[in-house]
Amino acid sequence: MNVKSARFITLEGVDGSGKSTQAKLLKEALEAQGHTVLLTREPGGSPGAEEIRSLVLEGEPDRWSAETEILLFTAARRDHLERTILPALEAGTVVICDRFVDSTRVYQGLTRGDLREVVDKLHVLMIGREADLTLVFDMDPVLGLARAKARQTAEERFEDMGLEMQQAMRRGFLDLAKGAPERFAVVDAGRAVEAVADDVLAVVRAAL
Ligand code: TYD
């Protein structure tokens, strides 16, 4: 890990890996140290992107093709970046984003044929920004899926794609981390909340 002044921090991992809980704890811990912090999420994070969120997360698993999803997630991301993320970074705020382009690389890029190159090309064209630091919450998808399904929300299109897909996604996140060690840190998320939170804070403090 060699990230100087990481202000744009993204959290990634399979469904139910505990990212959202950890995102809140990280925000509180950084605020306690005097940082101004914005916690946001994808898909969503701006009014327009939140509207796209319900299109992509609700309904049948085959509601959209992977290609259409790439366009929808990228459209949501562009709006989120323009209206929420970049203005906050320019104001000196630390931005914690629950999922970003690595989710598209893995979910849309790997799970229904190899579309990784399409994701990357569109990202360069329309987004052009990587996180300064990305934490991958790694855990056994059996556990993650059980947790995620226990939440019982309408937003279950991806969880409904099943265990094999979640396993492919876990490998996908780990491969991304291996390919860009200067940006990524992998956290063992299959432990108690406090233990995970301690690791997360240590990694982020070293990078900030
Ligand atoms: P979310 O509420 O973030 O789920 P979790 O709390 O488990 O992370 O739901 C986001 C869902 O959208 C999740 O199943 C992953 C999927 N997703 C994509 O498929 N592509 C993307 O680019 C993003 C940002 C999310």
Side-chain angles (χ1 to χ4, degrees):
M1 184 67 42
N2 176 27
V3 186
K4 297 240 160 45
S5 191
R7 297 213 157 264
F8 181 28
I9 301 166
T10 59
L11 312 184
E12 299 281 2
V14 295
D15 294 286
S17 56
K19 289 178 290 82
S20 309
T21 303
Q22 293 296 335
K24 289 191 198 106
L25 293 174
L26 176 60
K27 177 178 195 276
E28 285 164 16
L30 292 178
E31 283 174 344
Q33 291 171 6
H35 293 283
T36 306
V37 182
L38 172 75
L39 175 55
T40 185
R41 67 163 180 188
E42 291 207 347
S46 63
E50 288 290 332
E51 288 193 39
I52 297 175
R53 179 181 177 96
S54 30
L55 291 177
V56 284
L57 297 191
E58 296 175 21
E60 294 304 310
D62 64 357
R63 179 176 184 184
W64 308 108
S65 71
E67 288 82 351
T68 308
E69 272 174 28
I70 291 170
L71 293 167
L72 288 169
F73 279 110
T74 306
R77 182 162 304 127
R78 173 75 197 206
D79 195 61
H80 185 207
L81 190 74
E82 283 176 7
R83 292 167 197 258
T84 305
I85 297 175
L86 291 180
L89 291 172
E90 273 155 28
T93 300
V94 175
V95 176
I96 302 171
C97 190
D98 188 344
R99 296 194 184 280
F100 194 62
V101 62
D102 297 311
S103 281
T104 318
R105 290 185 170 118
V106 168
Y107 281 75
Q108 282 67 47
L110 298 180
T111 55
R112 282 156 292 168
D114 185 3
L115 290 174
R116 178 59 204 284
E117 203 186 323
V118 176
V119 174
D120 282 333
K121 281 189 171 155
L122 197 59
H123 180 72
V124 168
L125 201 61
M126 295 314 304
I127 309 295
R129 181 77 162 84
E130 297 291 343
D132 301 316
L133 171 66
T134 300
L135 296 165
V136 171
F137 290 81
D138 180 55
M139 76 184 300
D140 185 344
V142 175
L143 193 57
L145 213 52
R147 278 198 203 165
K149 293 301 286 186
R151 285 194 294 238
Q152 297 256 353
T153 68
E155 298 181 339
E156 297 188 348
R157 272 193 67 232
F158 293 96
E159 290 153 23
D160 287 344
M161 289 179 182
L163 186 59
E164 219 169 286
M165 208 80 108
Q166 295 284 336
Q167 270 155 350
M169 296 192 288
R170 179 190 199 185
R171 283 194 298 276
F173 282 121
L174 292 177
D175 285 347
L176 284 177
K178 220 182 281 168
E182 67 291 348
R183 172 164 71 90
F184 280 95
V186 178
V187 177
D188 174 2
R191 298 171 297 153
V193 172
E194 302 75 33
V196 178
D198 286 349
D199 276 11
V200 168
L201 190 58
V203 170
V204 170
R205 284 181 67 174
L208 265 176

